[in-house]
Amino acid sequence: KEFLELKTLFEAMDKDGSGTLSWAEFKSSFQDADMSRKWVLLDVHPDQCKELFNLLDDGDGEIDASEFFDGIQHLQGQASSKELFQLDKKVSKIAG
């Protein structure tokens, strides 16, 4: 059920149907009332929008479905899980 909800969210965000989310598409999801409520349920708030985009993006400036689902999966759970994922991404970018 949760996967279907995330898939629906991703598809709703992908306005141009490209299969990837640009920064503009991602950002606009936080400005849409219905989608914003879904983000809050995932414990993601509008002020975290840019940080989350950067965490999910592999560096090409867009988020594909795999990046989205894998990243959101890492973010769920206790706050320490989110913090560890953030740290891992930062270390990977520095090392990479």
Side-chain angles (χ1 to χ4, degrees):
K1 179 182 176 186
E2 184 177 314
F3 175 78
L4 289 176
E5 289 177 13
L6 288 175
K7 184 175 185 283
T8 301
L9 177 62
F10 183 87
E11 290 171 351
M13 292 167 61
D14 184 17
K15 300 287 187 196
D16 64 5
S18 66
T20 61
L21 303 175
S22 66
W23 165 239
E25 289 172 321
F26 191 80
K27 183 171 70 169
S28 73
S29 74
F30 285 85
Q31 298 163 346
D32 177 274
D34 289 333
M35 284 192 264
S36 188
R37 280 192 287 278
K38 291 179 183 181
W39 281 120
V40 170
L41 291 174
L42 292 169
D43 195 28
V44 178
H45 302 276
D47 62 332
Q48 300 169 312
C49 176
K50 184 65 173 175
E51 178 183 13
L52 180 59
F53 183 86
N54 290 333
L55 285 171
L56 298 177
D57 178 27
D58 65 3
D60 65 359
E62 294 194 331
I63 300 169
D64 65 28
S66 176
E67 292 168 331
F68 182 77
F69 297 124
D70 291 348
I72 295 298
Q73 214 173 14
H74 279 95
L75 294 175
Q76 295 183 334
Q78 298 178 7
S80 60
S81 297
K82 185 185 294 184
E83 292 165 357
L84 288 173
F85 181 56
Q86 290 170 331
L87 180 61
D88 182 52
K89 290 291 282 194
K90 288 177 183 175
V91 169
S92 294
K93 286 182 181 181
I94 291 170

